[in-house]
């Protein structure tokens, strides 16, 4: 591995650790804010962060073969695990959205939640952009795929932020679950397109 590749490899690991740290804190912050505001969306957002931590850990594992090029089999396994994470994210969002619409649960206003989601969106979009760039430079398909998980996290933050604002301003409680359902549909697409094609050991 060249010195340039080594630097990119290390940068990729640092980006993943930053993502894991942020999402781990996000679990406690958004779940706490969600419980305080009776917001199912904020609670779901926090729990979804666990799935994103898993996807990041998969990429860290894939990058673990430092100093050597990961085998096609290792790459395919990592891609499958990230796709499974997308699937789990989609199921949790779609089920949570359906339950929210069915119950007609109305959340209280959460200014702190709106502010935190705004910051989270900026952080996630920035991390996603950097990870995609490094992933493309390293030709690391799992990292590029996981960058989409981070990007979806940013989209979800924006969607829930808008829903909270609409609920606060106009009482549109249904905006919250609908926004989550849209992001869930995007996660389904990523799970399908991210699953590696071909037999074991073949490049995706």
């Amino acid at each position: 591995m060249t010195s340039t590749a080594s630097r990119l490899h290390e940068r990729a690991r640092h980006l993943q650790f930053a993502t894991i740290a942020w999402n781990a804190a996000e679990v406690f912050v958004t779940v706490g804010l969600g419980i305080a505001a009776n917001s199912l969306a904020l609670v779901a957002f926090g729990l979804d962060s666990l799935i994103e931590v898993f996807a990041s850990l998969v990429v860290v594992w894939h990058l673990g073969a430092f100093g050597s090029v990961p085998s096609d089999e290792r790459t395919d396994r990592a891609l499958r695990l990230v796709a499974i994470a997308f699937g789990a994210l989609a199921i949790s969002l779609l089920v949570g959205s359906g339950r929210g619409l069915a119950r007609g649960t109305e959340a209280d206003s959460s200014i702190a939640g709106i502010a935190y989601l705004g910051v989270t969106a900026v952080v996630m979009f920035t991390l996603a952009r950097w990870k995609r760039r490094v992933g493309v430079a390293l030709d690391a398909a799992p990292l590029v795929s996981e960058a989409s998980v981070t990007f979806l996290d940013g989209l979800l933050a924006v969607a829930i932020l808008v829903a909270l604002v609409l609920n606060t301003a106009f009482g549109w409680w249904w905006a919250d679950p609908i926004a989550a359902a849209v992001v869930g549909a995007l996660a389904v697409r990523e799970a399908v397109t991210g699953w590696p094609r071909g037999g074991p050991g073949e490049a995706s």
Side-chain angles (χ1 to χ4, degrees), residues 33-127:
L33 291 173
I35 292 174
N38 192 33
S39 171
L40 290 175
L42 279 172
V43 172
F45 184 74
L47 295 178
D48 288 338
S49 297
L50 292 174
I51 296 172
E52 290 147 19
V53 168
F54 169 76
S56 294
L57 288 172
V58 168
V59 175
V60 171
W61 166 79
H62 177 257
L63 295 171
F66 190 79
S68 63
V69 178
S71 66
D72 288 341
E73 182 179 359
R74 188 183 184 93
T75 297
D76 283 354
R77 188 176 299 128
L79 286 171
R80 290 189 182 96
L81 289 171
V82 172
I84 289 171
F86 267 119
L89 176 61
I91 291 171
S92 66
L93 289 174
L94 294 174
V95 170
S97 173
R99 291 178 63 183
L101 287 171
R103 294 179 177 180
T105 304
E106 296 186 26
D108 297 327
S109 175
S110 178
I111 302 302
I114 291 172
Y116 183 78
L117 289 172
V119 174
T120 294
V122 172
V123 171
M124 291 298 105
F125 287 144
T126 301
L127 284 172

Side-chain angles (χ1 to χ4, degrees), residues 119-167:
V119 174
T120 294
V122 172
V123 171
M124 291 298 105
F125 287 144
T126 301
L127 284 172
R129 183 179 182 183
W130 287 348
K131 286 194 284 189
R132 183 174 295 278
R133 283 184 175 180
V134 175
V136 170
L138 281 174
D139 193 24
L143 178 56
V144 173
S145 180
E146 194 273 335
S148 295
V149 178
T150 305
F151 184 78
L152 276 182
D153 186 26
L155 284 182
L156 182 57
V158 171
I160 296 177
L161 184 156
V162 171
L164 290 178
V165 170
L166 291 175
N167 181 55

